[in-house]
Amino acid sequence: MYEVMIATTEHEREAAFTVRKKVFVEEQGVPLSMEIDEFDQSASHFIVYDGPKAIAAGRIRNIASDIGKVERVCVLKEYRGKHLGVLIMNTLEEHAKKAGIQKILLNAQSHAIPFYEKLGYFVASPEFMDADIPHRAMEKQINTTS
């Protein structure tokens, strides 16, 4: 059984960073200096655990009173295809609703656009490069009354 939780301790935040480093730095070649950034201190971090092992992560941060930005969503390679991305995105969205966020923005790697479209996000920009990886901006209005 997988458990998703918000990081409330430094140990839990480090668990999220460990997953991100494995996926983005080791697997995709993103420089560590770009992966761990100034927004890590203010963002809300989420981790998916398989028992004691952190296996997926993501973060959300407020960029305006009613706008949030989802970033750094990732799943360890050996756990992909188990709907953990959906699990973490649903949890991030529920957190956003409770915080009064009405719109979520994200920059999706181009290969992941179909995943986010299935969750109700739509493409909002032409393709651009970030860390030498093609991306598109996406967004979604969320209902804060449900």
Side-chain angles (χ1 to χ4, degrees), residues 2 8 10 12 22 24 28 31 38 43 48 52 69 71 85 97 104-105 112 114 120-121:
Y2 303 116
T8 57
E10 191 60 32
E12 291 164 349
K22 285 181 183 174
F24 295 122
Q28 297 184 353
E38 69 274 17
V48 179
K69 188 162 187 191
E71 301 168 311
K97 285 179 187 179
I104 295 179
L105 309 176
Y121 289 81

Side-chain angles (χ1 to χ4, degrees), residues 87-128:
L87 176 65
I88 202 161
M89 287 301 296
N90 288 343
T91 304
L92 286 164
E93 287 184 19
E94 283 304 312
H95 174 81
K97 285 179 187 179
K98 290 176 186 171
I101 290 172
Q102 296 178 19
K103 181 193 276 188
I104 295 179
L105 309 176
L106 58 83
N107 292 336
Q109 291 184 8
S110 293
H111 71 85
I113 288 171
F115 165 78
Y116 290 109
E117 286 177 330
K118 287 177 188 172
L119 296 175
Y121 289 81
F122 67 89
V123 173
S125 80
E127 191 168 75
F128 61 92

Side-chain angles (χ1 to χ4, degrees), residues 33-51:
S33 61
M34 290 180 72
E35 176 51 33
I36 305 300
D37 65 18
E38 69 274 17
F39 301 118
D40 279 319
Q41 294 304 314
S42 58
S44 296
H45 298 269
F46 292 79
I47 314 113
V48 179
Y49 286 96
D50 181 10

Side-chain angles (χ1 to χ4, degrees), residues 68-79:
K69 188 162 187 191
V70 168
E71 301 168 311
R72 309 303 201 265
V73 175
C74 58
V75 177
L76 293 180
K77 194 173 198 171
E78 61 270 28
Y79 285 90

